[in-house]
Amino acid sequence: MSLHTAFEPACESRQDDIALVIASKPKDLGGFSVRRVLPSPQRRAVGPFVFFDEMGPADFGPGEGIEVRPHPHIGLSTLTYLFEGEIMHRDSLGYEQPIRPGAVNLMTAGRGIVHSERTAPELRESGQRLHGIQTWMALPDPLAETDPAFVHYPADRLPRVEQDGVRVTLVAGEAFGARSPVATASPTLYLDLEFTTGAATGLPKAIERALYVAVGRVRIGDCVLEAGSMAVLKPDAAMLVRAEADSRAILVGGDPVGERTLWWNFVAADPSRIEQAKADWREGRFEMVSGDEEFIPLPD
């Protein structure tokens, strides 16, 4: 039985603070499995977040790794955040930056960028365990065609708030009296919450917000959320989350940026912009990643 069938209707029927529960769907990215939550048939976006994948957890043996070849983006920012492992980012601006647990890679596509995500040779040789979250945030209209950019934030720059049995890392936005240095294009909230069994915390409010359980099991009122599920929360609810096991959850949200079309790696308010990006990639008009001649062809 799927997570959605098992508990979603009961949670929604009993819980005044939860608008919707979304079960992640497994997706194979060529030997590497992710759990995809957004976009889903039930909900296309939460705040600016139009895409939410949990990567792994996956164990790569010696000689194995991820090989996401160069591919394009427009109209969004990607935010990569790892719990375990390492990924090497390379892009058409010339940046080459490994991301490790607790750090942030923030790439703004704007009018267009190309990047790859691979396992570094030394880690491929030894093997590694990889687990983390990748999200896309749609850019607001005034910044949709901005110049592409890339910023890396080391783990020690992100503020952490220690509560009784709960550790909160502010990946983006402001909460619990602290503010993240990660500069987003619109009001954004992104928290990493680590719970010991039985610990509880309230959640900051946002115009739109959702809680995703990556590890363990948490309770909101009468609703128990298992790993791999996202609860879309009602805006004005004063939320208390309690862990029923050692758990890790991600809170995302912020101000919505309006209707968006999402096709492959492209995000735009106007579908004709997607068609232009398709043609630009097909005809080789994007700047490419220096030293990496591979690329992912435009899907059929």
Side-chain angles (χ1 to χ4, degrees), residues 60-68 82 85-90 96-100 116-128 130:
F60 294 100
E64 299 176 339
I66 65 169
E67 295 291 348
V68 181
L82 297 184
E86 179 180 316
I87 298 173
M88 177 62 74
H89 162 97
R90 295 183 178 88
E96 183 173 325
Q97 175 65 56
I99 181 168
R100 301 184 178 98
S116 66
E117 295 165 299
R118 300 184 186 267
T119 300
E122 60 273 18
L123 287 175
R124 179 177 292 276
E125 182 177 345
S126 62
Q128 69 164 335
L130 184 66

Side-chain angles (χ1 to χ4, degrees), residues 25-160:
K25 301 298 183 183
K27 185 173 180 60
D28 184 11
L29 300 183
F32 178 57
S33 179
V34 301
R35 297 201 282 193
R36 181 155 300 166
V37 190
L38 296 175
S40 78
Q42 304 103 308
R43 184 85 179 209
R44 305 300 296 173
V46 176
F49 292 90
V50 295
F51 182 93
F52 188 111
D53 267 2
E54 180 185 3
M55 304 177 290
D59 292 302
F60 294 100
E64 299 176 339
I66 65 169
E67 295 291 348
V68 181
R69 295 169 291 162
H71 57 281
H73 290 282
I74 66 163
L76 57 84
S77 293
T78 67
L79 194 158
T80 305
Y81 183 76
L82 297 184
F83 306 144
E84 299 177 88
E86 179 180 316
I87 298 173
M88 177 62 74
H89 162 97
R90 295 183 178 88
D91 64 41
S92 51
L93 299 176
Y95 289 97
E96 183 173 325
Q97 175 65 56
I99 181 168
R100 301 184 178 98
V104 166
N105 273 3
L106 182 68
M107 184 184 76
T108 299
R111 58 181 169 78
I113 198 169
V114 176
H115 77 133
S116 66
E117 295 165 299
R118 300 184 186 267
T119 300
E122 60 273 18
L123 287 175
R124 179 177 292 276
E125 182 177 345
S126 62
Q128 69 164 335
R129 182 174 175 85
L130 184 66
H131 190 195
I133 304 292
Q134 188 167 80
T135 55
W136 298 355
M137 297 170 288
L139 295 173
D141 291 339
L143 296 175
E145 297 295 326
T146 192
D147 290 341
F150 175 83
V151 184
H152 173 76
Y153 297 88
D156 61 9
R157 289 195 60 195
L158 300 184
R160 291 175 176 84

